[in-house]
Amino acid sequence: MSGSTNQSIKPVTAKVNQNGNLSIGGCDTIDLASKYGTPLYVLDEATIRTICKDYKDAFASYAKVNMMYASKALCTMAVSKILAEEGFGFDVVSAGEIYTVYKSGADMNKVLFNGNNKTVSELTLALELGVGRFSVDNFLELSLLNELAKSADKTADILLRITPGIECHTHEYIQTGHLDSKFGFDLTQVDEAVELILNEYSNLKLRGLHAHIGSQIFETQVYHDEIEILVKELAHLDEKFGLKLDEINIGGGLGVKYTDKDCPPSTYKIADVILKSLNESIEKYGIEPPTLYIEPGRSIISTSGVTLYTAGSSKQVPHGKKYVAVDGGMADNARPAMYGAEYSACVANKPEAETLQTVTIAGRFCESGDILIREISLPELGEGDILCVYNTGAYNYSMSSNYNRVPKPAMVLVNNSQSDIIIERETLDDLISHDRIPDRLK
Ligand code: LLP
C-alpha cells in the first residue's frame, strides 16, 4: 500500500530551484510574488490531479463509486473545471457554489446539494439547473422541495441526510456526525420521513442515505462504523417498506498534514477500510451492493495550495517572543484564529538557509488573535522576505473576508512552469462597489 499526497505538507512539485528559491509547478515563487503581488494564493495543478488519481486508484476495486468534490473547501470556476475533467462530481451547499460549478460547465447531474437550511430560492435554482441529487436534511425541506418540484413539474432525486451518532476526535466545530448535531435526521426520525416520502411527497424520489462524520479525520474506525450504520439502515428500510435503495453517501473528512505532528492515513488506507467495511456489511445485512458516494474536500485541494506573504515589521518583546508581521493574516486564513490550526512555512527566497530563530508570524489585521503561526523555527526573516505558508488550499480562500476593508488576494494556478490568474486580486473599487450613500446623506 502506498502513500498519497494528503500525507505531504508541500505540493508535489515543490523544489528549490537554481536561484536557491522555492519553486512550485516549475514557477519561481519569488517571481510569482513580484509579478502578482502578495498575499498570493498559489495552487499547484499537478498536486490536485495526483490526489484525484490517488482517490480513483484507491477505490478502483469497487465497481460503483462516485467521487464528489466538496466545493466548500475551495470553489472557483477553474478548480471546478479541473475536478470535472478528473471525473469528479460536486457537493455544493449554496446558490453561489451551484452557480460557480454550473458556469464552469460541469455536468449538473453529477452535483449533490447539501445543507441544513437551504432557502427557497436556492432549491428553485437547483431544480432549474438540473442538480442531480438533493441531500434532504430535515422535515421542512422535504415538504418545501416536494412543493417546488411539483410546481416545476419535476421529480427531485433525494438522499436522506442522517446523523449516524459517531464521535470523531477532531475540533469540536468541525464534528458533524455526533448525535447532538444541527445536521440531518436522527436515526429515530428516518421511518417517519420515509413514510411521508412514500405516501405524500410524490415529487420526491428517494435514492439512498447520506451522512458526514466530520473533517480533518485521522482515525479509520469511524468510517467503518459509519458504513455499517448506513447499510444496516438500508436493510431496515427494505424490510420495513420494501424499499430497494441503492445509494450511500459517506461524506468527506480525510485529514491532511499541516505540520510534522499530523499523520493522516493515505487514500489507499482509507479506501481499504471503507471497502472492507462495505463488503462485510453488505454480506452481514444481505443487501445488493449500493453505489458508494464519497465527498472529500480538504484532502483534494489543501496540499495543492500555498500562500505567499511579504514580511514587514518585526518586534522583539524584551525577554519574550519575536514577532514578524506579514501582509496578510486572519482575513485570508481564518483557521489559526478560529480553530487554533497550525501551519508549516518556509522563507521562499532562502528555503534552505539555516534555521536560526524561533519566530511568531503575526498577521496584519487589527486583532491580537491574528497570529498565523506560533513559534516556528525559520531562517532570518526580515522586511521584504517572502514567507510561504504551506497547505492553504482548503478553507482559506473559501472562508476569507474583507475584515479591516482589506481586498482579498489573487489566486494563481501553476503548472509546467506556467502561471495563470484564476481569481483576480480585489481592488479598492471592488471594495466599495456595493456601497450606496442614501440621497439624504449626499
Ligand atoms: N460533505 C459534507 C456534507 C460536509 O459537511 C463536508 C465538510 C465535506 C463533505 C467535506 O469535508 P472535508 O473532506 O473537507 O473534510 N472550515 C473547517 C472545515 C469544515 C468542514 C465542513 N464540512 C476547517 O477549516 O477546518
Side-chain angles (χ1 to χ4, degrees), residues 70 72-73 91 114 161 173-174 176 183 210-212 214-216 251-254 258 295-299 335 339 394-395 399:
K72 58 182 82 61
D91 151 33
N114 259 307
R161 166 91 181 248
Y173 297 169
I174 49 181
T176 39
F183 294 101
H210 180 215
H212 170 76
S215 201
Q216 184 61 353
L254 175 59
Y258 288 107
E295 275 172 3
R298 187 192 317 265
S299 54
R335 301 191 70 261
Y339 313 118
Y395 303 112
M399 292 171 69

Side-chain angles (χ1 to χ4, degrees), residues 214-280:
S215 201
Q216 184 61 353
I217 296 174
F218 292 174
E219 306 151 85
T220 54
Q221 181 65 29
V222 285
Y223 286 101
H224 176 279
D225 298 350
E226 180 191 17
I227 287 177
E228 168 142 21
I229 289 167
L230 286 167
V231 169
K232 188 174 172 195
E233 193 60 23
L234 284 191
H236 163 74
L237 295 176
D238 186 6
E239 194 185 298
K240 177 148 186 191
F241 300 101
L243 267 178
K244 306 272 179 231
L245 301 180
D246 59 0
E247 295 183 11
I248 60 167
N249 182 323
I250 60 168
L254 175 59
V256 301
K257 189 177 179 76
Y258 288 107
T259 70
D260 282 327
K261 286 187 276 182
D262 296 330
C263 295
S266 70
T267 54
Y268 298 93
K269 173 73 189 162
I270 216 82
D272 199 46
V273 171
I274 289 171
L275 295 180
K276 207 156 152 230
S277 165
L278 185 55
N279 288 323
E280 278 169 20

Side-chain angles (χ1 to χ4, degrees), residues 262-324:
D262 296 330
C263 295
S266 70
T267 54
Y268 298 93
K269 173 73 189 162
I270 216 82
D272 199 46
V273 171
I274 289 171
L275 295 180
K276 207 156 152 230
S277 165
L278 185 55
N279 288 323
E280 278 169 20
S281 296
I282 288 168
E283 179 92 24
K284 181 166 169 191
Y285 296 101
I287 64 160
E288 287 297 310
T291 298
L292 173 70
Y293 286 76
I294 59 164
E295 275 172 3
R298 187 192 317 265
S299 54
I300 295 282
I301 206 72
S302 182
T303 316
S304 72
V306 305
T307 308
L308 303 178
Y309 299 98
T310 304
S313 62
S314 51
K315 172 179 177 178
Q316 175 67 62
V317 177
H319 314 294
K321 284 200 183 83
K322 176 166 184 196
Y323 289 94
V324 177

Side-chain angles (χ1 to χ4, degrees), residues 142-172:
L142 275 180
S143 86
L144 208 56
L145 183 59
N146 185 62
E147 277 310 303
L148 294 168
K150 191 183 285 174
S151 10
D153 202 16
K154 289 185 171 168
T155 301
D157 287 305
I158 67 165
L159 307 178
L160 285 182
R161 166 91 181 248
I162 62 155
T163 314
I166 294 168
E167 296 259 352
C168 51
H169 302 110
T170 181
H171 192 285
E172 191 193 338

